[in-house]
Amino acid sequence: MHTVSVGGIDIPALGFGTWQITGRTCADMVATALQAGYRHIDTAAIYENETEVGQGLKAGGVDRDAIFVTTKVWRDFLAPDQLEKAAEQSLKRLKLDHVDLLLIHWPNADVPLKGSIEALNRVRERGLTRAIGVANFPSALFDEAQGLSLAPLVTNQVEYHPYLSQQRVLQAARRHGSSVTAYSPLARGKIFGDPVLESIAKAHGVNVGQVALRWLVQQPQVIAIPKTVTPARARSNLDIFGFQLTDDEMDRIFALTRAGDRLVSPAWGPAWDKDEG
Ligand SMILES: NC(=O)c1ccc[n+]([C@@H]2O[C@H](COP(=O)([O-])OP(=O)(O)OC[C@H]3O[C@@H](n4cnc5c(N)ncnc54)[C@H](OP(=O)(O)O)[C@@H]3O)[C@@H](O)[C@H]2O)c1
């Protein structure tokens, strides 16, 4: 598997998402994912599965140092002391002494960004995380956050799939030598049945999910974190490094962007970049 290198950190380009996977299934799926070859696991305090993710990390039988673990601080806890406490509590649940990446899960306009970013840096300085970053930050806010941070913000985790353009967010990330982590990379299943993706899949003897994931990780500085509770799908989603899309195929997928196909847009979320469908 290839990695994306940012700020001295190597992030496996294909990770395993765990949102809505809870309880025993979560522990089992994390272990299954590790045994299938995943080396990057994505969780968050708000997913209420950090305990089970921690159990899966142990059960998977892979060296801790070989695994890249991301968790996130929820937007209600962005005040500096609360953010540090939230990070400590996540580690306790995960039964880890550090994570590899700690993200601010969503921006919160009611909390000054400077204090949150400083607290995020302190968590890193304390060794509780190897790297820091954000999620759901529009490009201008990402610029601002990078300007406030001593350590590089190594990723902006945002919704990104063939139906949603993220050109401005990508440009902002690349301007700072950072990365974009694509969440909901399969558009939560909406891409299956797409005729363009199906024709490209047929040409390579792969499936539509593999084409979408390959399209993402074939872009510079892009990481993808698909979720599944189905072991065979977990294996299939990881099996995307044995073929390459042509420039023309990449462009045909870029052209699939459709206005109004953003799946995750809570009322309390930020104002998104204007060019994004
Ligand atoms: N930072 C944020 O605010 C944020 C927001 C949303 C998500 N995320 C992260 O991103 C991860 C992925 O996003 P997501 O869960 O929203 O959506 P997703 O990965 O795009 O889609 C998951 C859906 O696709 C299905 N699926 C997976 N692989 C498949 C395959 N090979 N063939 C057919 N169907 C397949 C899954 O079904 P089954 O599970 O039934 O197999 C599930 O219904 C999350 O788990 C989470 O870690 C972050």
Side-chain angles (χ1 to χ4, degrees), residues 6-254:
V6 193
I9 299 273
D10 290 333
I11 308 175
L14 204 280
F16 185 76
T18 66
W19 182 52
Q20 288 184 318
I21 316 183
T22 54
R24 180 69 191 268
T25 309
C26 180
D28 288 351
M29 275 312 296
V30 169
T32 299
L34 291 173
Q35 284 153 9
Y38 285 83
R39 292 294 179 265
H40 173 172
I41 307 290
D42 181 86
T43 182
I46 199 77
Y47 299 170
E48 296 187 346
N49 65 6
E50 288 175 311
T51 300
E52 291 79 10
V53 167
Q55 291 164 356
L57 291 172
K58 285 238 156 58
V62 174
D63 270 2
R64 166 68 187 97
D65 290 351
I67 311 169
F68 192 92
V69 181
T70 302
T71 195
K72 316 183 191 86
V73 178
W74 189 241
R75 65 190 293 278
D76 292 346
F77 305 106
L78 300 188
D81 54 332
Q82 289 182 317
L83 190 150
E84 289 202 55
K85 245 182 238 141
E88 290 163 11
Q89 285 163 358
S90 281
L91 290 176
K92 232 179 239 162
R93 287 188 290 266
L94 285 159
K95 288 208 166 69
L96 296 177
D97 60 5
H98 72 279
V99 286
D100 296 277
L101 179 56
L102 182 71
L103 305 179
I104 290 177
H105 203 148
W106 283 85
N108 184 340
D110 295 334
V111 182
L113 186 60
K114 188 168 182 284
S116 307
I117 295 293
E118 284 170 359
L120 201 57
N121 275 268
R122 269 198 303 280
V123 171
R124 178 181 169 277
E125 283 154 17
R126 289 173 56 197
L128 305 186
T129 185
R130 288 173 61 220
I132 53 175
V134 295
N136 297 298
F137 273 42
S139 57
L141 196 61
F142 187 70
D143 281 338
E144 191 185 335
Q146 284 281 8
L148 291 168
S149 188
L150 281 176
L153 300 174
V154 303
T155 207
N156 188 5
Q157 184 178 122
V158 297
E159 179 181 340
Y160 187 29
H161 46 70
Y163 294 157
L164 180 68
S165 169
Q166 284 286 15
Q167 285 314 304
R168 283 185 194 267
V169 167
L170 285 160
Q171 282 159 13
R174 291 182 185 134
R175 222 175 16 250
H176 294 285
S178 188
S179 69
V180 163
T181 301
Y183 77 63
S184 305
L186 304 170
R188 298 192 170 156
K190 273 178 93 176
I191 54 165
F192 294 97
D194 183 283
V196 172
L197 296 175
E198 274 185 348
S199 78
I200 295 171
K202 202 166 164 210
H204 289 275
V206 298
N207 64 50
V208 162
Q210 290 171 317
V211 168
L213 295 171
R214 177 72 212 183
W215 171 76
L216 287 164
V217 303
Q218 204 170 304
Q219 299 171 44
Q221 304 299 101
V222 175
I223 296 149
I225 49 167
K227 167 265 176 186
T228 178
V229 289
T230 316
R233 288 178 175 176
R235 286 190 288 275
S236 160
N237 292 346
L238 187 63
D239 188 15
I240 57 167
F241 297 96
F243 70 102
Q244 202 164 357
L245 300 173
T246 64
D247 290 347
D248 175 61
E249 289 167 337
M250 291 292 287
D251 288 344
R252 284 166 63 203
I253 303 172
F254 277 113

